[in-house]
């Protein structure tokens, strides 16, 4: 069977109207500035070669190149979104192929990076936080300095200790976590961010389908673990000892950092953790606090309430 393009060409040539159409199409193709430049670069191509490959040149012409007139990947009008056509000459034959455009390359890189952040119940604005947007006001000064110090140290390997940020509601503690997670992406470091009250609920629910251990594993293995709002969760001895205790123990042994935010200082948190429905257990609470101190250091955050 003859190739479709060849049949079409023959047919076009025998029909008067189509003959005109064909010659117009050919003119358009040859007048295209990109194609003109391509042909100048390939003087070895005879008019016969060009004629034989006219449909490929036509397809090339109809596609947008170099994202010149594009604004985004979504606006791409090419046959395959995010791919632009490339012409090559192989043994006096013209080959047309498609390669990824810059927008597509950037988009794929961004997607890969987004996957470096895993989160459970974190607001969208926090996941988009950026370290550049943190103004270095004097009140939050120490906290911001500590955050920058961690990022500087990351260049030589992930530090053993994270930070336990504590301070009043709305000063930007959770925002710090999001900004940090986004900065760490540039170093290919994965973060897992979890809102503590939801973690307790999630773990309770997982008891039913036996997935608790699988989930704990995720929190143990993240390069950097971030526990948001510790102390705001419902206090339960089971969660404190079996879940939180086990995660912190593992990270402590493996020397992997944990970041925390809390409305409570470590002294205050110790009292909270001691009191559960099972009674008052100061030793068990003390053990958790010791582990928190092994995987982080305490930094107060002051400032105005940014939610107002
Ligand atoms: P906290 O966790 O201390 O209660 P958040 O981190 O939730 O406070 O911050 C409170 C609000 O202020 C949020 O809406 C957050 O997006 C915003 N915010 C905090 N820090 C900044 C910042 N540096 N730039 C812009 N918005 C911020
Ligand atoms: Mg918060």
């Amino acid at each position: 069977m003859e190739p479709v393009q060849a049949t079409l060409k023959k047919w076009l040539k025998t029909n008067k109207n189509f003959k005109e159409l064909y010659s117009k199409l050919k003119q358009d193709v040859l007048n295209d500035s990109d194609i003109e430049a391509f042909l100048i670069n390939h003087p070895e191509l005879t008019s016969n070669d060009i004629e034989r490959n006219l449909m490929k040149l036509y397809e090339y012409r109809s596609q947008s190149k170099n994202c010149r007139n594009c604004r985004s990947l979504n606006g791409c009008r090419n046959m395959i979104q995010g791919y632009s056509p490339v012409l090559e000459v192989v043994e006096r034959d013209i080959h047309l192929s498609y390669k990824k455009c810059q927008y597509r390359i950037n988009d794929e890189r961004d997607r890969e990076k987004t996957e470096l952040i895993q989160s459970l119940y974190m607001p969208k604005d926090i996941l988009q936080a950026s370290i550049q947007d943190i103004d270095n006001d004097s009140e939050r000064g120490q906290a911001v300095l500590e955050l920058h110090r961690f990022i500087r140290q990351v260049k030589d390997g992930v530090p053993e200790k994270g930070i336990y940020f504590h301070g009043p509601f709305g000063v930007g503690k959770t925002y710090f976590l999001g900004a940090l997670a986004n900065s760490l992406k540039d170093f290919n470091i994965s973060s897992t961010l979890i809102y503590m009250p939801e973690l307790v609920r999630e773990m309770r629910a997982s008891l039913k389908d036996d997935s608790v251990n699988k989930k704990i594993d995720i929190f143990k293995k993240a390069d950097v673990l971030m526990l948001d709002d510790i102390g705001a969760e419902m206090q339960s001895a089971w969660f404190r000892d079996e879940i939180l205790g086990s995660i912190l123990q593992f990270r402590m042994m493996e020397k992997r950092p944990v970041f925390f935010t809390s409305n409570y200082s470590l002294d205050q948190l110790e009292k909270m953790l001691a009191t559960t429905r099972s009674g008052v257990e100061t030793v068990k609470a003390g053990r958790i606090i010791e582990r928190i101190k092994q995987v982080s250091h305490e930094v107060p955050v002051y400032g105005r309430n940014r939610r107002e």
Side-chain angles (χ1 to χ4, degrees):
M1 201 178 85
E2 260 186 301
V4 177
Q5 282 192 13
T7 318
L8 180 70
K9 238 185 288 177
K10 229 188 269 170
W11 185 65
L12 282 170
K13 280 181 184 167
T14 50
N15 185 302
K16 190 178 165 291
N17 279 344
F18 283 109
K19 214 166 166 177
E20 273 169 27
L21 201 69
Y22 181 80
S23 88
K24 163 119 182 34
L25 180 147
K26 182 173 165 186
Q27 219 46 55
D28 285 352
V29 167
L30 296 180
N31 284 341
D32 181 89
S33 59
D34 288 324
I35 291 177
E36 214 168 18
F38 170 77
L39 293 176
I40 288 170
N41 273 331
H42 293 282
E44 74 275 22
L45 294 173
T46 63
S47 55
N48 228 341
D49 297 332
I50 295 169
E51 188 91 22
R52 201 176 59 245
N53 287 289
L54 197 67
M55 288 304 155
K56 287 182 202 158
L57 294 175
Y58 177 73
E59 181 175 322
Y60 177 78
R61 180 177 176 268
S62 70
Q63 303 288 299
S64 99
K65 273 103 36 192
N66 306 324
C67 315
R68 239 188 334 233
N69 300 315
C70 305
R71 303 231 154 174
S72 69
L73 182 60
N74 280 339
C76 174
R77 56 184 182 82
N78 281 357
M79 273 192 321
I80 318 171
Q81 198 181 52
Y83 283 81
S84 49
V86 185
L87 287 177
E88 271 176 315
V89 175
V90 181
E91 291 171 359
R92 301 244 324 257
D93 207 25
I94 297 174
H95 285 210
L96 175 66
S97 61
Y98 283 84
K99 72 168 173 53
K100 285 178 194 175
C101 71
Q102 205 49 49
Y103 282 119
R104 186 168 191 112
I105 292 170
N106 293 347
D107 182 73
E108 287 180 1
R109 202 178 40 215
D110 286 350
R111 270 172 210 273
E112 241 167 59
K113 279 194 175 175
T114 313
E115 281 158 17
L116 285 172
I117 299 187
Q118 287 209 31
S119 70
L120 204 61
Y121 308 104
M122 298 299 287
K124 210 167 169 189
D125 67 324
I126 294 299
L127 294 175
Q128 285 164 351
S130 116
I131 207 99
Q132 281 90 21
D133 291 341
I134 297 181
D135 33 336
N136 204 349
D137 47 351
S138 54
E139 286 173 316
R140 301 190 305 173
Q142 190 202 347
V144 177
L145 279 177
E146 296 281 351
L147 207 55
H148 281 287
R149 192 214 308 266
F150 186 87
I151 293 167
R152 268 199 315 278
Q153 288 172 341
V154 151
K155 295 182 180 117
D156 308 316
V158 183
E160 280 176 32
K161 286 194 179 193
I163 303 172
Y164 181 95
F165 289 117
H166 66 94
F169 183 77
V171 292
K173 303 180 297 296
T174 302
Y175 194 90
F176 285 174
L177 297 187
L180 177 64
N182 280 316
S183 282
L184 293 177
K185 287 196 293 192
D186 293 337
F187 301 96
N188 238 356
I189 295 171
S190 68
S191 312
T192 300
L193 284 90
I194 311 155
Y195 181 53
M196 281 298 277
E198 291 296 344
L199 177 64
V200 176
R201 239 164 296 183
E202 178 93 18
M203 286 302 186
R204 280 233 172 98
S206 307
L207 280 174
K208 289 188 205 110
D209 61 11
D210 261 351
S211 57
V212 171
N213 287 331
K214 227 191 293 169
K215 287 189 180 143
I216 291 185
D217 265 2
I218 298 172
F219 307 132
K220 285 179 175 172
K221 303 222 165 110
D223 292 332
V224 175
L225 178 65
M226 303 183 175
L227 300 180
D228 187 41
D229 236 345
I230 189 169
E233 70 277 16
M234 270 239 291
Q235 294 306 326
S236 111
W238 165 76
F239 181 83
R240 179 193 63 201
D241 304 329
E242 304 300 322
I243 309 294
L244 185 60
S246 151
I247 294 170
L248 295 178
Q249 171 76 11
F250 180 91
R251 298 195 67 93
M252 187 178 95
M253 305 296 281
E254 297 283 315
K255 303 195 188 318
R256 291 189 188 173
V258 184
F259 282 78
F260 302 86
T261 76
S262 185
N263 288 336
Y264 306 103
S265 69
L266 280 175
D267 282 344
Q268 291 169 324
L269 184 71
E270 186 163 2
K271 293 190 184 82
M272 307 266 312
L273 289 175
T275 315
T276 66
R277 264 192 299 184
S278 318
V280 180
E281 297 173 298
T282 49
V283 175
K284 286 184 172 168
R287 205 174 287 151
I288 298 285
I289 298 295
E290 267 323 298
R291 288 178 194 164
I292 292 179
K293 285 180 180 166
Q294 293 289 325
V295 295
S296 69
H297 65 274
E298 195 174 0
V299 172
V301 191
Y302 308 101
R304 67 183 163 85
N305 183 349
R306 285 170 184 260
R307 287 174 216 239
E308 279 164 358

